[in-house]
Amino acid sequence: MAHEITRMTELVPYTPEIALKAADLLAQGDLVVVPTETVYGLAADATNDRAVARIFEAKGRPSFNPLIIHVENVAMAGQWAEISPLAQKLAAAFWPGALTLVLPRRADTKLSRLVSAGLDTVAVRCPASGPAQAVLAAFGRPFAAPSANRSGTISPTRAAHAAKTLSGKVNLIIDAGPCDIGVESTIIRVDGGQVYLLRPGGLSVEAIEPVAGVPIEKPQGGEIQAPGMMESHYAPEAQLRLDASMPSPGELFLAFGPPPQNVSATLNLSSNGDLTEAAANLFNHLYELDAIGDRIAVAPVPEEGLGLAINDRLRRAAAPRP
Ligand code: TXA
Ligand code: MG
């Protein structure tokens, strides 16, 4: 059931025409490897759940880490995230560049919920590289992009690195030579007047602090927590019962695949048992069920392919609340 799709991968040098082609592919829900000044990114339309799910499938990611959305400028960022005066100041100083800001999602946003892995924040970055800027200008909206490598392999700073682990899994790899920075962006969370370091990266804390005007809070004990994990626990209001073959009276039923005879699904992650489709639907379906009931029975999802990530998130969502 967990069929990994094979695609014809084109590896081409960057030209302005290629940026237009990349934008067309993104608009169709396809995957494109885009060079940035930090590392090569595996890009998909950030407003398309299905396309974002393909990122996790192509990376073979065992869990849904939230992703960074890439924007052309501060104006584009403001269409998708709330930009506080402090965030505005940091963006003005360091964008385009290797700084990612974790900001509240706008309430009215059409951004994929999978991008944020169910959180009410979104990580936003404005890349400086010419090719990434050209793709964003042609596309006109954000793309989500983690580093363009299979999970557990090193971050790609050359097109060939990306091709090594993603060939056959993406439609297009744009080659713009080695990345200028070569380590991922620095991620900070701006929360009111406070600034927290979530991941050290290509822009130093020493450079950011004087502009922020406040000390940057680093995690206790000197150890940097895996970014995103500290608050990635998506907790619906409703109670979840997992691995349910059918709903009990009073329960909503979130199915996967055809429901048993005489049982109707309230919502179905994928009626034909497609794990990529299920991943794309997961967060939206949970939100919708949460709005209409307080007990949800969830059908079993196979522990293979994207099913690992889906089950990981379902277990977190079902875990007892602190
Ligand atoms: O330089 C970069 O940042 C590269 C290029 C392609 O832009 N991208 C990159 O993405 O490194 P990725 O997916 O490998 O790392 C994104 C990190 C993850 O560790 C995730 O946990 C964190 O950002 N993150 C994303 N959204 C978040 C959020 N809403 N809250 C906290 N952490 C978040
Ligand atoms: Mg990475």
Side-chain angles (χ1 to χ4, degrees):
M1 236 193 306
H3 44 268
E4 287 204 27
I5 301 153
T6 306
R7 297 183 169 78
M8 272 285 293
T9 301
E10 248 192 291
L11 196 162
V12 288
Y14 173 74
T15 61
E17 293 71 44
I18 283 298
L20 301 181
K21 178 171 178 172
D24 281 346
L25 288 168
L26 289 172
Q28 287 167 35
D30 286 331
L31 300 180
V32 179
V33 172
V34 178
T36 87
E37 73 280 19
T38 56
V39 298
Y40 277 70
L42 173 56
D45 181 353
T47 66
N48 179 340
D49 279 324
R50 177 84 198 211
V52 174
R54 288 199 177 123
I55 289 179
F56 292 98
E57 185 194 43
K59 280 188 75 83
R61 262 205 184 171
S63 68
F64 296 134
N65 281 335
L67 302 174
I68 297 171
I69 68 163
H70 296 66
V71 295
E72 192 189 355
N73 45 39
V74 186
M76 191 188 277
Q79 290 169 20
W80 308 91
E82 304 279 358
I83 316 229
S84 65
L86 178 53
Q88 177 75 41
K89 197 158 73 169
L90 291 166
F94 298 112
W95 281 3
L99 178 69
T100 295
L101 299 173
V102 173
L103 305 169
R105 289 164 65 100
R106 276 179 64 143
D108 59 354
T109 190
K110 296 258 187 314
L111 207 59
S112 158
R113 284 207 172 98
L114 190 52
V115 153
S116 298
L119 302 174
D120 54 13
T121 53
V122 60
V124 189
R125 169 162 122 72
C126 173
S129 102
Q133 278 286 327
V135 172
L136 285 166
F139 188 45
R141 58 181 187 271
F143 61 70
S147 49
N149 56 311
R150 289 283 284 187
S151 230
T153 65
I154 57 158
S155 286
T157 54
R158 285 175 170 67
H161 298 168
K164 197 167 159 197
T165 60
L166 293 177
S167 223
K169 307 207 177 297
V170 301
N171 299 79
L172 175 66
I173 298 175
I174 301 175
D175 186 351
C179 299
D180 285 344
I181 294 181
V183 294
E184 284 96 340
S185 60
T186 301
I187 305 180
I188 64 174
R189 184 157 68 89
V190 184
D191 190 358
Q194 305 276 88
V195 180
Y196 302 88
L197 179 68
L198 300 187
R199 177 178 77 183
L203 181 68
S204 76
V205 170
E206 291 80 358
I208 303 168
E209 256 171 353
V211 175
V214 289
I216 295 180
E217 309 279 333
K218 295 178 199 82
Q220 302 288 311
E223 197 166 303
I224 306 290
Q225 255 182 291
M229 292 320 289
M230 54 183 72
E231 54 174 344
S232 66
H233 192 132
Y234 170 64
E237 300 279 319
Q239 246 175 32
L240 262 63
R241 186 167 66 87
L242 305 185
D243 290 320
S245 50
M246 60 172 72
S248 307
E251 283 182 329
L252 302 171
F253 187 44
L254 179 58
F256 174 81
Q261 242 186 345
N262 302 323
V263 173
S264 61
T266 320
L267 287 175
N268 203 321
L269 288 169
S270 168
S271 40
N272 59 9
D274 175 15
L275 288 165
T276 306
E277 184 184 13
N281 285 331
L282 178 66
F283 290 112
N284 272 325
H285 281 10
L286 286 176
Y287 269 87
E288 282 182 30
L289 294 174
D290 211 14
I292 57 172
D294 51 17
R295 286 163 60 217
I296 307 169
V298 186
V301 174
E303 190 74 5
E304 61 188 25
L306 278 190
L308 268 65
I310 294 168
N311 285 325
D312 169 74
R313 299 316 287 189
L314 283 172
R315 274 182 222 115
R316 288 169 193 274
R321 309 292 133 73

mmCIF file of all heavy atoms in Angstrom, residues 36 38-41 61 65-68 70 100 102 115-116 119 121-123 125 145-147 183-185 187 198-199 227-229 231, ligand 1:
data_model
loop_
_atom_site.group_PDB
_atom_site.id
_atom_site.type_symbol
_atom_site.label_atom_id
_atom_site.label_comp_id
_atom_site.label_asym_id
_atom_site.label_seq_id
_atom_site.Cartn_x
_atom_site.Cartn_y
_atom_site.Cartn_z
ATOM 1 N N THR A 36 19.193 27.564 -2.225
ATOM 2 C CA THR A 36 19.154 28.792 -1.434
ATOM 3 C C THR A 36 20.577 29.049 -0.951
ATOM 4 O O THR A 36 21.454 28.208 -1.159
ATOM 5 C CB THR A 36 18.201 28.728 -0.212
ATOM 6 O OG1 THR A 36 18.893 28.183 0.905
ATOM 7 C CG2 THR A 36 16.930 27.940 -0.502
ATOM 8 N N THR A 38 21.629 28.991 2.037
ATOM 9 C CA THR A 38 21.999 28.144 3.175
ATOM 10 C C THR A 38 22.240 26.712 2.697
ATOM 11 O O THR A 38 23.380 26.245 2.666
ATOM 12 C CB THR A 38 20.908 28.167 4.261
ATOM 13 O OG1 THR A 38 19.658 27.782 3.694
ATOM 14 C CG2 THR A 38 20.813 29.535 4.910
ATOM 15 N N VAL A 39 21.152 26.028 2.316
ATOM 16 C CA VAL A 39 21.254 24.677 1.755
ATOM 17 C C VAL A 39 20.213 24.573 0.639
ATOM 18 O O VAL A 39 19.345 25.436 0.520
ATOM 19 C CB VAL A 39 20.980 23.579 2.830
ATOM 20 C CG1 VAL A 39 22.008 23.634 3.941
ATOM 21 C CG2 VAL A 39 19.568 23.696 3.399
ATOM 22 N N TYR A 40 20.299 23.533 -0.163
ATOM 23 C CA TYR A 40 19.260 23.299 -1.172
ATOM 24 C C TYR A 40 17.965 22.903 -0.455
ATOM 25 O O TYR A 40 17.994 22.158 0.526
ATOM 26 C CB TYR A 40 19.688 22.193 -2.151
ATOM 27 C CG TYR A 40 20.581 22.701 -3.268
ATOM 28 C CD1 TYR A 40 21.890 23.115 -2.998
ATOM 29 C CD2 TYR A 40 20.111 22.800 -4.570
ATOM 30 C CE1 TYR A 40 22.698 23.606 -4.019
ATOM 31 C CE2 TYR A 40 20.919 23.281 -5.601
ATOM 32 C CZ TYR A 40 22.208 23.682 -5.317
ATOM 33 O OH TYR A 40 22.998 24.176 -6.332
ATOM 34 N N GLY A 41 16.842 23.436 -0.945
ATOM 35 C CA GLY A 41 15.552 23.162 -0.321
ATOM 36 C C GLY A 41 14.673 22.287 -1.208
ATOM 37 O O GLY A 41 14.733 22.371 -2.433
ATOM 38 N N ARG A 61 10.485 11.067 6.021
ATOM 39 C CA ARG A 61 10.514 11.587 7.393
ATOM 40 C C ARG A 61 9.613 10.790 8.297
ATOM 41 O O ARG A 61 8.451 10.599 7.988
ATOM 42 C CB ARG A 61 10.033 13.052 7.415
ATOM 43 C CG ARG A 61 11.170 13.999 7.422
ATOM 44 C CD ARG A 61 10.778 15.335 8.027
ATOM 45 N NE ARG A 61 11.938 16.203 7.903
ATOM 46 C CZ ARG A 61 11.942 17.500 8.158
ATOM 47 N NH1 ARG A 61 10.844 18.090 8.544
ATOM 48 N NH2 ARG A 61 13.037 18.188 8.017
ATOM 49 N N ASN A 65 7.674 16.993 11.322
ATOM 50 C CA ASN A 65 8.255 18.248 11.802
ATOM 51 C C ASN A 65 7.585 19.379 11.046
ATOM 52 O O ASN A 65 7.343 19.257 9.860
ATOM 53 C CB ASN A 65 9.743 18.327 11.445
ATOM 54 C CG ASN A 65 10.593 17.512 12.375
ATOM 55 O OD1 ASN A 65 10.197 17.272 13.506
ATOM 56 N ND2 ASN A 65 11.744 17.093 11.889
ATOM 57 N N PRO A 66 7.347 20.490 11.741
ATOM 58 C CA PRO A 66 6.837 21.633 10.979
ATOM 59 C C PRO A 66 7.912 22.136 10.010
ATOM 60 O O PRO A 66 9.098 21.948 10.242
ATOM 61 C CB PRO A 66 6.517 22.662 12.061
ATOM 62 C CG PRO A 66 7.310 22.250 13.259
ATOM 63 C CD PRO A 66 7.537 20.778 13.151
ATOM 64 N N LEU A 67 7.476 22.748 8.922
ATOM 65 C CA LEU A 67 8.393 23.185 7.859
ATOM 66 C C LEU A 67 8.508 24.704 7.809
ATOM 67 O O LEU A 67 7.644 25.413 8.324
ATOM 68 C CB LEU A 67 7.884 22.699 6.504
ATOM 69 C CG LEU A 67 7.698 21.196 6.341
ATOM 70 C CD1 LEU A 67 7.044 20.904 4.995
ATOM 71 C CD2 LEU A 67 9.031 20.481 6.472
ATOM 72 N N ILE A 68 9.563 25.177 7.157
ATOM 73 C CA ILE A 68 9.751 26.617 6.957
ATOM 74 C C ILE A 68 9.087 27.022 5.644
ATOM 75 O O ILE A 68 9.280 26.357 4.627
ATOM 76 C CB ILE A 68 11.256 26.943 6.910
ATOM 77 C CG1 ILE A 68 11.913 26.600 8.251
ATOM 78 C CG2 ILE A 68 11.477 28.406 6.537
ATOM 79 C CD1 ILE A 68 13.446 26.687 8.235
ATOM 80 N N HIS A 70 8.942 29.821 2.636
ATOM 81 C CA HIS A 70 9.874 30.789 2.060
ATOM 82 C C HIS A 70 9.088 31.846 1.318
ATOM 83 O O HIS A 70 8.158 31.524 0.574
ATOM 84 C CB HIS A 70 10.854 30.066 1.141
ATOM 85 C CG HIS A 70 11.740 29.094 1.879
ATOM 86 N ND1 HIS A 70 11.233 27.960 2.489
ATOM 87 C CD2 HIS A 70 13.069 29.098 2.136
ATOM 88 C CE1 HIS A 70 12.229 27.301 3.084
ATOM 89 N NE2 HIS A 70 13.353 27.972 2.890
ATOM 90 N N THR A 100 15.305 32.668 10.128
ATOM 91 C CA THR A 100 13.924 32.190 10.079
ATOM 92 C C THR A 100 13.203 32.665 11.332
ATOM 93 O O THR A 100 13.708 32.504 12.440
ATOM 94 C CB THR A 100 13.886 30.649 9.996
ATOM 95 O OG1 THR A 100 14.458 30.251 8.747
ATOM 96 C CG2 THR A 100 12.469 30.111 10.092
ATOM 97 N N VAL A 102 9.820 32.381 13.672
ATOM 98 C CA VAL A 102 8.601 31.623 13.981
ATOM 99 C C VAL A 102 7.563 32.611 14.511
ATOM 100 O O VAL A 102 7.771 33.268 15.534
ATOM 101 C CB VAL A 102 8.875 30.494 14.996
ATOM 102 C CG1 VAL A 102 7.583 29.823 15.442
ATOM 103 C CG2 VAL A 102 9.811 29.456 14.363
ATOM 104 N N VAL A 115 1.983 22.156 7.054
ATOM 105 C CA VAL A 115 3.204 22.966 7.100
ATOM 106 C C VAL A 115 3.581 23.261 8.557
ATOM 107 O O VAL A 115 4.748 23.224 8.935
ATOM 108 C CB VAL A 115 3.014 24.289 6.314
ATOM 109 C CG1 VAL A 115 3.913 25.388 6.841
ATOM 110 C CG2 VAL A 115 3.303 24.082 4.842
ATOM 111 N N SER A 116 2.595 23.569 9.373
ATOM 112 C CA SER A 116 2.825 23.906 10.775
ATOM 113 C C SER A 116 2.686 22.688 11.680
ATOM 114 O O SER A 116 2.776 22.815 12.897
ATOM 115 C CB SER A 116 1.824 24.966 11.246
ATOM 116 O OG SER A 116 1.967 26.157 10.521
ATOM 117 N N LEU A 119 0.495 23.252 14.605
ATOM 118 C CA LEU A 119 0.756 24.370 15.531
ATOM 119 C C LEU A 119 0.052 25.632 15.027
ATOM 120 O O LEU A 119 -0.326 25.718 13.861
ATOM 121 C CB LEU A 119 2.265 24.652 15.619
ATOM 122 C CG LEU A 119 3.177 23.522 16.070
ATOM 123 C CD1 LEU A 119 4.637 23.944 15.947
ATOM 124 C CD2 LEU A 119 2.858 23.157 17.512
ATOM 125 N N THR A 121 1.618 28.413 14.907
ATOM 126 C CA THR A 121 2.701 29.284 14.441
ATOM 127 C C THR A 121 3.212 28.773 13.094
ATOM 128 O O THR A 121 2.923 27.646 12.706
ATOM 129 C CB THR A 121 3.878 29.279 15.435
ATOM 130 O OG1 THR A 121 4.267 27.930 15.676
ATOM 131 C CG2 THR A 121 3.513 29.959 16.746
ATOM 132 N N VAL A 122 3.975 29.619 12.419
ATOM 133 C CA VAL A 122 4.607 29.182 11.170
ATOM 134 C C VAL A 122 6.007 29.789 11.103
ATOM 135 O O VAL A 122 6.224 30.934 11.514
ATOM 136 C CB VAL A 122 3.754 29.568 9.941
ATOM 137 C CG1 VAL A 122 3.556 31.067 9.828
ATOM 138 C CG2 VAL A 122 4.376 29.024 8.646
ATOM 139 N N ALA A 123 6.963 28.986 10.644
ATOM 140 C CA ALA A 123 8.337 29.457 10.474
ATOM 141 C C ALA A 123 8.466 30.085 9.094
ATOM 142 O O ALA A 123 8.069 29.486 8.100
ATOM 143 C CB ALA A 123 9.306 28.291 10.630
ATOM 144 N N ARG A 125 10.899 32.361 6.264
ATOM 145 C CA ARG A 125 12.237 32.807 5.887
ATOM 146 C C ARG A 125 12.193 33.431 4.501
ATOM 147 O O ARG A 125 11.450 32.973 3.632
ATOM 148 C CB ARG A 125 13.179 31.606 5.893
ATOM 149 C CG ARG A 125 14.533 31.855 5.284
ATOM 150 C CD ARG A 125 15.492 30.776 5.745
ATOM 151 N NE ARG A 125 16.089 30.029 4.657
ATOM 152 C CZ ARG A 125 17.019 30.516 3.840
ATOM 153 N NH1 ARG A 125 17.462 31.758 3.969
ATOM 154 N NH2 ARG A 125 17.519 29.756 2.874
ATOM 155 N N ALA A 145 9.841 24.467 2.373
ATOM 156 C CA ALA A 145 11.033 23.708 1.970
ATOM 157 C C ALA A 145 11.911 23.338 3.150
ATOM 158 O O ALA A 145 12.492 24.200 3.795
ATOM 159 C CB ALA A 145 11.858 24.500 0.952
ATOM 160 N N PRO A 146 12.008 22.037 3.424
ATOM 161 C CA PRO A 146 13.064 21.560 4.314
ATOM 162 C C PRO A 146 14.323 21.363 3.472
ATOM 163 O O PRO A 146 14.299 21.573 2.261
ATOM 164 C CB PRO A 146 12.527 20.219 4.795
ATOM 165 C CG PRO A 146 11.710 19.713 3.650
ATOM 166 C CD PRO A 146 11.171 20.937 2.924
ATOM 167 N N SER A 147 15.408 20.946 4.113
ATOM 168 C CA SER A 147 16.605 20.653 3.340
ATOM 169 C C SER A 147 16.321 19.496 2.372
ATOM 170 O O SER A 147 15.551 18.584 2.690
ATOM 171 C CB SER A 147 17.762 20.315 4.274
ATOM 172 O OG SER A 147 17.364 19.356 5.223
ATOM 173 N N VAL A 183 25.139 26.115 5.874
ATOM 174 C CA VAL A 183 24.434 25.555 7.033
ATOM 175 C C VAL A 183 23.057 26.205 7.056
ATOM 176 O O VAL A 183 22.860 27.301 6.534
ATOM 177 C CB VAL A 183 25.132 25.800 8.399
ATOM 178 C CG1 VAL A 183 26.451 25.075 8.470
ATOM 179 C CG2 VAL A 183 25.290 27.279 8.676
ATOM 180 N N GLU A 184 22.132 25.515 7.696
ATOM 181 C CA GLU A 184 20.758 25.989 7.699
ATOM 182 C C GLU A 184 20.621 27.328 8.426
ATOM 183 O O GLU A 184 21.505 27.733 9.185
ATOM 184 C CB GLU A 184 19.848 24.952 8.364
ATOM 185 C CG GLU A 184 19.546 23.749 7.493
ATOM 186 C CD GLU A 184 20.445 22.565 7.765
ATOM 187 O OE1 GLU A 184 21.547 22.760 8.340
ATOM 188 O OE2 GLU A 184 20.046 21.445 7.395
ATOM 189 N N SER A 185 19.481 27.952 8.189
ATOM 190 C CA SER A 185 19.212 29.254 8.788
ATOM 191 C C SER A 185 19.106 29.171 10.315
ATOM 192 O O SER A 185 18.842 28.106 10.869
ATOM 193 C CB SER A 185 17.895 29.811 8.230
ATOM 194 O OG SER A 185 16.833 28.932 8.539
ATOM 195 N N ILE A 187 17.037 29.792 13.530
ATOM 196 C CA ILE A 187 15.586 29.900 13.771
ATOM 197 C C ILE A 187 15.338 30.543 15.121
ATOM 198 O O ILE A 187 15.847 30.065 16.147
ATOM 199 C CB ILE A 187 14.903 28.513 13.745
ATOM 200 C CG1 ILE A 187 15.205 27.785 12.434
ATOM 201 C CG2 ILE A 187 13.391 28.669 13.942
ATOM 202 C CD1 ILE A 187 14.569 26.405 12.329
ATOM 203 N N LEU A 198 15.725 28.824 18.655
ATOM 204 C CA LEU A 198 15.277 27.440 18.482
ATOM 205 C C LEU A 198 16.321 26.591 17.771
ATOM 206 O O LEU A 198 16.390 25.387 17.979
ATOM 207 C CB LEU A 198 13.962 27.388 17.691
ATOM 208 C CG LEU A 198 12.761 28.107 18.287
ATOM 209 C CD1 LEU A 198 11.512 27.816 17.469
ATOM 210 C CD2 LEU A 198 12.532 27.709 19.738
ATOM 211 N N ARG A 199 17.105 27.218 16.900
ATOM 212 C CA ARG A 199 18.172 26.481 16.213
ATOM 213 C C ARG A 199 19.264 27.465 15.824
ATOM 214 O O ARG A 199 18.990 28.446 15.145
ATOM 215 C CB ARG A 199 17.627 25.811 14.942
ATOM 216 C CG ARG A 199 18.717 25.076 14.147
ATOM 217 C CD ARG A 199 18.172 24.375 12.901
ATOM 218 N NE ARG A 199 17.906 25.297 11.812
ATOM 219 C CZ ARG A 199 17.375 24.953 10.641
ATOM 220 N NH1 ARG A 199 17.040 23.690 10.417
ATOM 221 N NH2 ARG A 199 17.160 25.839 9.696
ATOM 222 N N PRO A 227 14.388 21.760 17.320
ATOM 223 C CA PRO A 227 13.429 22.816 17.027
ATOM 224 C C PRO A 227 12.064 22.239 16.708
ATOM 225 O O PRO A 227 11.975 21.209 16.067
ATOM 226 C CB PRO A 227 14.007 23.502 15.787
ATOM 227 C CG PRO A 227 15.408 23.039 15.670
ATOM 228 C CD PRO A 227 15.506 21.735 16.406
ATOM 229 N N GLY A 228 11.064 22.915 17.171
ATOM 230 C CA GLY A 228 9.718 22.466 16.854
ATOM 231 C C GLY A 228 9.183 21.478 17.874
ATOM 232 O O GLY A 228 8.011 21.480 18.178
ATOM 233 N N MET A 229 10.057 20.661 18.436
ATOM 234 C CA MET A 229 9.563 19.598 19.294
ATOM 235 C C MET A 229 9.021 20.139 20.610
ATOM 236 O O MET A 229 8.162 19.549 21.224
ATOM 237 C CB MET A 229 10.665 18.577 19.581
ATOM 238 C CG MET A 229 11.082 17.786 18.362
ATOM 239 S SD MET A 229 9.701 17.308 17.305
ATOM 240 C CE MET A 229 8.913 16.059 18.333
ATOM 241 N N GLU A 231 7.052 22.414 21.307
ATOM 242 C CA GLU A 231 5.643 22.791 21.365
ATOM 243 C C GLU A 231 4.857 22.145 20.229
ATOM 244 O O GLU A 231 3.810 22.600 19.847
ATOM 245 C CB GLU A 231 5.497 24.311 21.310
ATOM 246 C CG GLU A 231 6.198 24.901 20.107
ATOM 247 C CD GLU A 231 5.936 26.380 19.965
ATOM 248 O OE1 GLU A 231 4.998 26.891 20.586
ATOM 249 O OE2 GLU A 231 6.669 27.016 19.220
HETATM 250 O O1 TXA B 1 18.216 27.143 5.837
HETATM 251 C C1 TXA B 1 17.147 26.588 6.060
HETATM 252 O O2 TXA B 1 16.435 26.903 7.009
HETATM 253 C C2 TXA B 1 16.739 25.453 5.103
HETATM 254 C C3 TXA B 1 16.533 26.069 3.712
HETATM 255 C C4 TXA B 1 16.008 25.080 2.709
HETATM 256 O O3 TXA B 1 15.697 27.195 3.811
HETATM 257 N N1 TXA B 1 15.550 24.774 5.564
HETATM 258 C C5 TXA B 1 15.575 23.940 6.648
HETATM 259 O O4 TXA B 1 14.370 23.311 6.905
HETATM 260 O O5 TXA B 1 16.536 23.756 7.329
HETATM 261 P P1 TXA B 1 14.212 22.036 7.873
HETATM 262 O O6 TXA B 1 12.832 21.489 7.632
HETATM 263 O O7 TXA B 1 15.332 21.090 7.666
HETATM 264 O O8 TXA B 1 14.240 22.634 9.300
HETATM 265 C C6 TXA B 1 13.142 23.368 9.783
HETATM 266 C C7 TXA B 1 13.160 23.405 11.279
HETATM 267 C C8 TXA B 1 12.674 22.107 11.879
HETATM 268 O O9 TXA B 1 13.620 21.578 12.768
HETATM 269 C C9 TXA B 1 11.388 22.482 12.587
HETATM 270 O O10 TXA B 1 11.231 21.766 13.762
HETATM 271 C C10 TXA B 1 11.526 23.987 12.803
HETATM 272 O O11 TXA B 1 12.267 24.433 11.705
HETATM 273 N N2 TXA B 1 10.217 24.654 12.732
HETATM 274 C C11 TXA B 1 9.440 24.836 11.647
HETATM 275 N N3 TXA B 1 8.278 25.411 11.967
HETATM 276 C C12 TXA B 1 8.313 25.627 13.295
HETATM 277 C C13 TXA B 1 7.384 26.186 14.222
HETATM 278 N N4 TXA B 1 6.194 26.630 13.837
HETATM 279 N N5 TXA B 1 7.767 26.228 15.525
HETATM 280 C C14 TXA B 1 8.990 25.768 15.909
HETATM 281 N N6 TXA B 1 9.897 25.212 15.077
HETATM 282 C C15 TXA B 1 9.566 25.139 13.790
#
